[in-house]
Amino acid sequence: MTATAPQTSPRKRASNGTARRIDADEIGLDALVGHAGYAVRRFQIWIFQDFIRTLGAVDIRPTQYSVLTVIGANPGLSQMAVAKRLGIERARLVHLLDSLEQRKLVKRVKSKADRRSHALHLTVQGETALAKFKRLAAEHERHVEAKIGKENRAQLLRILAGFT
Amino acid sequence: MTATAPQTSPRKRASNGTARRIDADEIGLDALVGHAGYAVRRFQIWIFQDFIRTLGAVDIRPTQYSVLTVIGANPGLSQMAVAKRLGIERARLVHLLDSLEQRKLVKRVKSKADRRSHALHLTVQGETALAKFKRLAAEHERHVEAKIGKENRAQLLRILAGFT
DNA sequence: TATTGTTATACTCTATAACTATA
DNA sequence: TATAGTTATAGAGTATAACAATA
């Protein structure tokens, strides 16, 4: 597991006592290669970076996109319902919605049925914007496909279908 | 995509104008179901939570484990080399190492070859501890296997082999 | 001039706890 | 009493920038 290929790039003690550079690709990961979590984490970081870059022009991040999508598909949901469904802390969702409401994408409507809660809706502007975000997100998804392969992406979705 | 199954649990406007509860599992994810990033992110969160729980008794988190494993397999690496290999900011690694050094798991040795840099080594105590951490991490890995299936885990590792 | 380790700052995200207004 | 939304705080983690020592 301990890689020691002969290369050039940080510094390492050589047989003659002088130092040479070590390339990142010759540093062994040892037990990490057997951990799904390590690869999944690195992959997730890559995906988010691509998503943020691809939707950079509209300034929408993954969590914001997921909130808008769920509200768009389920108008009238309460904040608690959205938070639970997406695994976001309700305290965190307050700030996310503050931002989306300031941008006139979402509106909080006082619920008549339960006056403690807010019914969440997209604004007309929000509907239009979300349609654009979805086109960009689809473009991002094609980047994923290009990165790991169409068939592998499909298998990944199948394997992880339970984590929704 | 908009789920509207008849259930019980938050509140939703019913045909008669009164409200009823909505279960999380009847809220449609819409476009999110087609995004690999969504499933990958949820899975990654599950994995990290299980890792943190499984290694809770020894108080080691995923990033700390990855740093210890790489140093253990490549003694003498500089901080820059570890940071680059694992995709950690060098400023962040300083704090991670401060903590691991306080716990006597790692030592920074002044490099003679390049006096700007530190050669990183596990302490004897660190070697022993890492062996235990690896046993617990293997136990965590069995939880992953139990969660998604042995064959699916193997395929996942194969698909994501490039993200290391 | 460039790099290594360090310190510092700001922003995101997670995890809690406590408060209010309702139920 | 319990719940929905809010506010506040603390801890990870990320992203930067700048500095001292050294190359």
Side-chain angles (χ1 to χ4, degrees):
Chain A
M1 287 299 180
T2 312
T4 35
Q7 226 106 351
T8 50
S9 185
R11 292 221 123 66
K12 178 176 181 178
R13 187 139 293 282
S15 51
N16 59 4
T18 63
R20 68 175 181 76
R21 298 183 63 74
I22 302 172
D23 282 336
D25 63 355
E26 65 175 301
I27 300 175
L29 286 180
D30 193 65
L32 294 185
V33 297
H35 285 296
Y38 180 73
V40 168
R41 174 64 174 154
R42 297 295 300 244
F43 182 46
Q44 184 258 305
I45 290 169
W46 183 90
I47 289 188
F48 269 40
Q49 284 176 345
D50 184 86
F51 187 99
I52 292 166
R53 201 183 319 121
T54 306
L55 279 83
V58 293
D59 191 25
I60 289 290
R61 298 168 65 83
T63 308
Q64 295 175 310
Y65 177 73
S66 69
V67 169
L68 290 171
T69 298
V70 165
I71 295 174
N74 309 271
L77 283 184
S78 68
Q79 296 185 193
M80 271 306 296
V82 171
K84 273 185 188 163
R85 185 66 186 84
L86 293 174
I88 302 170
E89 283 297 322
R90 69 186 204 271
R92 165 109 188 94
L93 185 61
V94 170
H95 300 299
L96 284 167
L97 289 173
D98 285 350
S99 156
L100 294 173
E101 205 170 29
Q102 278 169 11
R103 290 171 66 178
K104 307 287 187 192
L105 299 175
V106 165
K107 58 187 175 222
R108 287 163 159 120
V109 180
K110 279 178 186 167
S111 168
K112 290 175 187 174
D114 183 341
R115 287 158 58 214
R116 291 172 302 183
S117 74
H118 296 155
L120 301 173
H121 296 269
L122 296 186
T123 61
V124 173
Q125 198 179 141
E127 300 272 10
T128 308
L130 179 55
K132 180 174 187 179
F133 303 160
K134 284 184 177 177
R135 284 194 296 276
L136 289 168
E139 186 182 322
H140 151 72
E141 206 61 30
R142 287 193 292 276
H143 300 167
V144 175
E145 212 168 68
K147 183 73 175 178
I148 65 174
K150 189 169 181 170
E151 189 51 46
N152 282 337
R153 175 180 163 279
Q155 278 203 343
L156 202 67
L157 282 173
R158 181 184 58 72
I159 292 171
L160 302 183
F163 294 88
T164 53
Chain B
M1 286 299 180
T2 312
T4 35
Q7 226 109 348
T8 50
S9 188
R11 293 219 123 65
K12 179 176 181 177
R13 188 140 292 280
S15 51
N16 60 2
T18 64
R20 67 175 182 74
R21 297 183 62 75
I22 303 173
D23 283 337
D25 63 355
E26 65 174 300
I27 299 176
L29 286 179
D30 193 66
L32 295 184
V33 297
H35 285 295
Y38 180 73
V40 168
R41 174 63 175 156
R42 298 295 299 246
F43 183 45
Q44 184 259 305
I45 289 170
W46 183 92
I47 289 187
F48 270 40
Q49 284 176 344
D50 184 86
F51 187 99
I52 292 165
R53 201 182 319 122
T54 306
L55 279 84
V58 294
D59 192 25
I60 288 290
R61 299 169 64 83
T63 308
Q64 295 175 311
Y65 177 74
S66 70
V67 168
L68 290 171
T69 298
V70 164
I71 294 174
N74 309 271
L77 283 184
S78 68
Q79 297 185 191
M80 270 307 295
V82 171
K84 273 185 188 165
R85 186 66 185 86
L86 293 175
I88 301 169
E89 282 296 321
R90 70 186 204 272
R92 165 108 188 94
L93 185 61
V94 170
H95 301 299
L96 284 167
L97 289 173
D98 286 349
S99 156
L100 294 173
E101 204 170 30
Q102 276 170 11
R103 291 172 66 177
K104 306 286 187 194
L105 300 175
V106 165
K107 58 188 175 220
R108 288 162 159 121
V109 180
K110 279 178 185 165
S111 168
K112 290 175 186 172
D114 183 341
R115 286 159 60 218
R116 291 172 302 181
S117 75
H118 297 155
L120 300 172
H121 296 270
L122 296 186
T123 61
V124 174
Q125 196 180 144
E127 301 270 11
T128 308
L130 179 56
K132 180 174 188 180
F133 302 160
K134 283 183 178 179
R135 285 194 297 275
L136 289 168
E139 187 182 322
H140 150 72
E141 205 60 29
R142 288 192 292 275
H143 299 168
V144 174
E145 211 167 71
K147 183 73 175 177
I148 66 174
K150 189 168 181 170
E151 188 51 47
N152 282 337
R153 175 180 163 278
Q155 277 204 342
L156 201 67
L157 281 173
R158 180 184 58 71
I159 292 170
L160 302 183
F163 294 88
T164 54

